[in-house]
């Protein structure tokens, strides 16, 4: 009888033990995965990916966006339209990404192709942020130069780490997805941390104090350059550098003249350019408008962090529900919803929500989550389409060129939005016409539907380029180039998050 009572007890203990082991295994799984990557690659590379994507881009971008907005409003005393134009200028270094890519690929420094560029980018970023933080009453031109320098430092570090990931994707094709997961996790976690703490830090130490803090991630980039394991190149043929760059430019020009390439590129530019940016006007209204919500710095940071979550939800939604649908189908509905989502700001500005007893914070957070999710769902097919427009042999550099076109479109949207705010006389104290800007922005977001014929109607899994543009010089390079075209995806998702 005693044995019969003990058996169920032993079974329960064994079951509890198995559950604890499974929980412990689940907790330690990320550690073992990270350790596996360190064993397959060098630990300096894995750490470098986490630092560049997670800290220097993820955390830094979250902190710099909010601190820059408050700095331009409170320190430089800019009008919303002026701040909108300035935010576009700061992103100019990202438009010349192919230049940075060509330099890191063809111009070694002191026998190394990657390490010196990390070190130079780190020093540039740290110097720019410290100069902005320590100098009092800095003129707008000098402040803009510092912010643009910091942006250039991030762009150079981004292109350089992209090149490192590309090389390892080719040499370890079976682990390419693991590397993309590492990049994605690092970037996503960094963004959420940066946006979440941005408002609190700006409140505690001010926008200039945050700029001083931002010199730390830049200093970590220097550390990446010093510790990165990279083979030394002997007898560098510097005479061939100019010819190699010229050949790459000629190949890209030939590709851009192909109808299969320039038509989608034209759509991408127009689509982004018509998505007018008026977020500086909304930011000023959030914080300064008479009768407005008067959101604190902490709440502004929280709204941005919720927007980051919305972007991630948009990526997951596309990957799980829409990635197999034709490009035109996804773009039609996402563009339509993107225009409708822009009208959510109208609820806040018109104060309709208060008539129904809905707090401003609830509407603002819902707006951030929904509009950012739809915006990401709209942009994902464009990103995938870009990866399919890259001819063999210049995949990485050509993808950077396509992303530069996207950044030019975003700059156009930012400057056009600033001009719209100026035309409608939306100032630091005058917001009567802000609702008109919101309506115009929402309508312009729908206009790209009229040129959807520029986008291929084929299935996303089908090839778009002609066969002769997909041939490689070596047949065994096929797998490597397939991995190569997807390398910069995580970075560009992140960068568009920051721009929007």
């Amino acid at each position: 009888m005693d044995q019969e009572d003990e058996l169920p007890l032993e079974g329960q203990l064994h079951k509890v033990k198995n559950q604890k082991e499974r929980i412990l295994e689940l907790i330690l799984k990320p550690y073992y995965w990270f350790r596996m990557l360190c064993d397959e690659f060098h630990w300096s590379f894995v750490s470098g990916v986490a630092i560049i994507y997670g800290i220097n881009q993820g955390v830094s971008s979250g902190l710099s966006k909010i601190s820059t907005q408050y700095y331009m409003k409170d320190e430089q005393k800019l009008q919303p339209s002026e701040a909108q134009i300035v935010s576009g200028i700061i992103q100019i270094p990202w438009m010349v990404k192919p230049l940075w890519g060509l330099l890191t690929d063809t111009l070694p420094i002191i026998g190394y192709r990657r390490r010196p560029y990390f070190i130079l980018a780190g020093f540039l970023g740290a110097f720019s942020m410290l100069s902005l933080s320590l100098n009092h009453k800095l003129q707008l031109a000098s402040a803009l130069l510092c912010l643009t320098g910091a942006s250039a430092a991030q762009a150079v570090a981004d292109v350089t780490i992209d090149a490192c990931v590309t090389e390892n994707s080719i040499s370890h094709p079976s682990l390419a997805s693991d590397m993309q997961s590492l990049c994605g996790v690092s970037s996503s976690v960094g963004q959420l941390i940066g946006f979440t703490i941005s408002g609190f830090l700006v409140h505690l130490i001010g926008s200039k104090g945050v700029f001083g803090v931002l010199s730390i991630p830049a200093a970590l980039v220097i550390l990446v350059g010093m510790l990165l394991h990279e083979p030394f190149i002997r007898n560098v043929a510097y005479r061939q550098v100019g010819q190699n760059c010229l050949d790459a430019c000629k190949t890209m020009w030939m590709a851009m003249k192909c109808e299969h390439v320039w038509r989608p590129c034209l759509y991408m530019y127009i689509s982004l350019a018509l998505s007018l940016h008026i977020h500086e006007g909304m930011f000023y209204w959030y914080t300064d408008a008479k009768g407005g919500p008067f959101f604190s710095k902490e709440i502004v940071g929280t709204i941005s962090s919720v927007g980051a979550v919305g972007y991630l939800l948009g990526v997951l939604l596309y990957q799980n529900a829409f990635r197999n649908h034709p490009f035109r189908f996804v773009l039609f509905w996402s563009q339509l919803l993107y225009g409708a989502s822009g009208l959510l700001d109208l609820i806040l500005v018109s104060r309709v929500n208060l008539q129904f007893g809905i707090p401003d914070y609830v509407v603002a957070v819902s707006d951030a989550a929904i509009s950012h999710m739809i915006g990401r769902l709209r942009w994902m097919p464009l990103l995938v389409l870009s990866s399919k427009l890259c001819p063999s042999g210049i995949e990485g550099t050509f993808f950077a060129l396509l992303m530069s076109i996207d950044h030019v479109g975003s700059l156009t949207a930012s400057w056009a939005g600033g001009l719209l705010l100026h035309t409608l006389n939306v100032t630091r104290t005058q917001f009567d016409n802000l609702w008109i800007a919101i309506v115009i922005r929402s309508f312009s977001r729908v206009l790209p539907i009229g040129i959807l014929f520029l986008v291929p109607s084929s299935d996303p899994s089908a090839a778009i380029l002609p066969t002769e543009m997909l041939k490689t010089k070596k047949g065994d390079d096929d797998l490597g180039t397939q991995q190569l075209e997807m390398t910069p995806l995580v970075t560009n998702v992140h960068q568009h998050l920051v721009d929007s």
Side-chain angles (χ1 to χ4, degrees), residues 243-465:
Q243 186 60 44
N244 292 339
C245 291
L246 184 60
D247 292 341
C249 292
K250 288 181 179 179
T251 306
M252 287 190 292
W253 174 245
M254 292 296 294
M256 285 299 296
K257 292 195 298 183
C258 176
E259 183 180 9
H260 298 280
V261 176
W262 70 259
R263 286 166 60 94
C265 288
L266 180 61
Y267 175 84
M268 286 188 285
Y269 169 76
I270 295 177
S271 174
L272 291 168
L274 289 176
S275 301
L276 304 183
H277 295 174
I278 59 170
H279 48 73
E280 295 298 335
M282 289 302 302
F283 169 71
Y284 278 66
W285 183 83
Y286 278 155
T287 55
D288 286 356
K290 184 178 179 180
F294 286 103
F295 286 149
S296 66
K297 298 177 177 67
E298 295 86 348
I299 291 180
V300 171
T302 303
I303 293 173
S304 297
S305 65
V306 173
V309 175
Y311 271 112
L312 296 178
L313 292 176
V315 174
L316 294 175
L317 183 62
Y318 177 80
Q319 290 294 333
N320 291 281
F322 295 103
R323 64 177 180 176
N324 294 322
H325 288 76
F327 291 120
R328 288 186 186 178
F329 173 83
V330 180
L331 288 172
F332 174 83
W333 289 106
S334 59
Q335 204 77 50
L336 198 62
L337 292 174
Y338 192 50
S341 67
L343 295 174
L344 292 174
D345 287 329
L346 198 60
I347 298 176
L348 270 175
V349 173
S350 64
R351 317 305 284 145
V352 172
N353 59 296
L354 297 181
Q355 299 178 12
F356 293 92
I358 304 175
D360 291 326
Y361 177 75
V362 174
V363 179
V365 168
S366 302
D367 177 16
I370 296 172
S371 61
H372 285 70
M373 180 182 68
I374 296 174
R376 180 56 53 225
L377 183 62
R378 175 190 69 100
W379 192 65
M380 282 302 296
L382 297 179
L383 193 62
V384 176
L385 178 61
S386 297
S387 70
K388 291 183 171 293
L389 298 177
C390 300
S392 292
I394 56 168
E395 293 89 349
T397 304
F398 198 79
F399 192 95
L401 175 64
L402 295 179
M403 291 300 100
S404 297
I405 294 174
D406 285 357
H407 285 300
V408 173
S410 296
L411 175 66
T412 305
S414 184
W415 286 0
L419 179 61
L420 177 64
L421 293 174
H422 177 74
T423 303
L424 294 175
N425 195 32
V426 178
T427 66
R428 299 171 61 92
T429 57
Q430 185 72 25
F431 300 95
D432 292 342
N433 293 330
L434 182 58
W435 71 273
I436 301 178
I438 295 173
V439 173
I440 294 175
R441 179 197 61 180
S442 300
F443 177 74
S444 67
R445 286 179 174 181
V446 182
L447 293 179
I449 292 178
I451 56 171
L452 269 176
F453 62 89
L454 295 172
V455 178
S457 58
S458 59
D459 187 270
S461 60
I464 296 175
L465 296 180

Side-chain angles (χ1 to χ4, degrees), residues 90 93-94 100 121 124 147-157:
I90 295 172
W94 289 86
W100 313 133
L124 176 60
L147 289 170
T148 306
S151 179
Q154 278 195 344
V156 172

Side-chain angles (χ1 to χ4, degrees), residues 214-266:
L214 285 171
S215 64
I216 299 175
L220 291 177
V221 177
I222 301 175
L223 185 63
V224 172
M226 296 174 62
L227 299 179
L228 183 69
H229 179 71
E230 182 184 12
F232 181 78
I233 303 175
R234 299 182 183 275
N235 302 322
V236 179
Y238 287 105
R239 294 181 180 179
Q240 292 295 114
V241 171
Q243 186 60 44
N244 292 339
C245 291
L246 184 60
D247 292 341
C249 292
K250 288 181 179 179
T251 306
M252 287 190 292
W253 174 245
M254 292 296 294
M256 285 299 296
K257 292 195 298 183
C258 176
E259 183 180 9
H260 298 280
V261 176
W262 70 259
R263 286 166 60 94
C265 288
L266 180 61

